[in-house]
Amino acid sequence: MRVLTHSAPDESGRSALELQAGPGETLDAICGGAVRVLQRRLGYRFTLDPLLLVHFAVSVGGAGRGRLMDLGTGCGIIPLVLACRWRGRDILGLELQPGLFSLARRNVLLNHCEQEVSLVLGDLRRVDEQFPAGGFAQVLCNPPYRARATGHTSLSTEKALARHELACELSDVSRAAAHLLEPRGGLCMVYPASRFAELVTVLRLFGLEPRVVRWVHPRADRPAKLVLLHAVKGGHPELTVLPPLVVHTEDEHAFTDEVRAMVV
């Protein structure tokens, strides 16, 4: 297990060089420029989904209050938005892939979030070996959506592990969250709408009771593609369904006002 906590550029200036986009990388700005993100041009790149998740987690799950874990943090997008936009503190991101962990580390330094965000290189399937039980108030996760044998698997290992259940499955995410969360702690996830029944079933197997859901529609006249879900460890079976979240206007290239406010 490798941990990054309060790192800073050394006197040699090496870290300063790391904070610039290198060959094959891009430097992107979101949230009105409040968050800057280094990504690989041809590797795994974050989508709109984690941004929808972090806004949902703040408004519904109380993310930012208490210690928070982001399972599979990738380039660190969820901790970065929480730290820069909401001044969330005591946020930990867990990432399996060394390449993405390195990008997340650079992004934390780039956004001056060292006091708010820590990173761990590790496997969510082994969180019981890395973290004591019940140490977190909130867990967030934007897990791989596709089952191992479905869809086209990317030739990029980085993309494949992020999108397909090659290194973890839904049951692994649920088990990890159940271990990490304190009693009555909350898990927030974004997941394919087509797998909603499976999601609820698996969460309940690990004592995580769905309490709030919000369906995400690409347009108002189209079926939901994603679901945002908040579950509570040891919660009572009482589900609230929020009004749907519509991503695009009639012009498929334009965001609705609600989604635009999340990214601009």
Side-chain angles (χ1 to χ4, degrees):
M1 178 176 68
R2 180 180 173 188
V3 181
L4 166 71
T5 52
H6 307 323
S7 299
D10 58 30
E11 294 181 356
S12 70
R14 177 174 177 271
S15 292
L17 293 176
E18 289 181 340
L19 304 189
Q20 301 175 16
E25 296 180 339
T26 63
L27 177 58
D28 306 294
I30 58 171
C31 301
V35 180
R36 294 180 296 163
V37 188
L38 290 162
Q39 301 187 83
R40 266 183 281 281
R41 195 179 301 277
L42 299 180
Y44 174 74
R45 299 175 65 84
F46 74 86
T47 65
L48 180 65
D49 301 358
L51 300 180
L52 301 182
L53 173 61
V54 72
H55 281 79
F56 175 79
V58 168
S59 62
V60 172
R65 297 195 298 269
R67 197 175 186 212
L68 183 145
M69 167 73 82
D70 177 30
L71 292 173
T73 199
C75 66
I77 186 63
I78 286 176
L80 293 175
V81 175
L82 280 170
C84 294
R85 196 158 194 177
W86 282 286
R87 295 301 164 193
R89 301 187 64 85
D90 207 359
I91 305 164
L92 195 148
L94 180 69
E95 176 53 43
L96 174 67
Q97 300 191 61
L100 285 174
F101 174 84
S102 177
L103 273 178
R105 171 185 173 276
R106 293 164 64 199
N107 284 327
V108 167
L109 296 173
L110 177 66
N111 288 275
H112 307 289
C113 296
E114 303 96 313
Q115 299 299 317
E116 294 83 14
V117 178
S118 301
L119 300 172
V120 174
L121 180 64
D123 191 335
L124 67 80
R125 293 170 296 184
R126 303 176 63 183
V127 292
D128 57 332
E129 301 174 15
Q130 299 171 295
F131 305 98
F136 293 83
Q138 304 286 335
V139 170
L140 272 63
C141 189
N142 175 198
Y145 289 166
R146 300 175 183 173
R148 186 183 298 264
T150 61
H152 170 71
T153 302
S154 172
L155 294 178
S156 163
T157 301
E158 188 172 282
K159 289 183 180 180
L161 288 173
R163 295 175 178 173
H164 289 259
E165 294 179 333
L166 301 176
C168 73
E169 299 180 354
L170 181 56
S171 59
D172 298 315
V173 173
S174 302
R175 183 183 298 107
H179 172 80
L180 293 168
L181 286 170
E182 62 188 27
R184 308 294 295 177
L187 165 68
C188 285
M189 291 180 61
V190 57
Y191 212 59
S194 60
R195 300 185 69 181
F196 177 69
E198 177 188 359
L199 174 61
V200 171
T201 298
V202 174
L203 289 175
R204 283 177 166 165
L205 287 175
F206 292 93
L208 300 168
E209 183 62 34
R211 295 300 304 275
V212 183
V213 298
R214 190 175 191 191
W215 301 99
V216 182
H217 298 251
R219 278 186 9 187
D221 60 348
R222 295 189 180 176
K225 289 293 187 181
L226 298 173
V227 63
L228 296 161
L229 180 143
H230 175 236
V232 174
K233 182 177 178 178
H236 300 296
E238 181 178 339
L239 183 67
T240 298
V241 180
L242 298 178
L245 175 59
V246 179
V247 175
H248 294 287
T249 64
E250 292 184 4
D251 177 359
E252 295 189 2
H253 300 289
F255 290 133
T256 59
D257 289 344
E258 182 177 9
V259 172
R260 179 180 295 275
M262 298 179 185
V263 298
V264 176

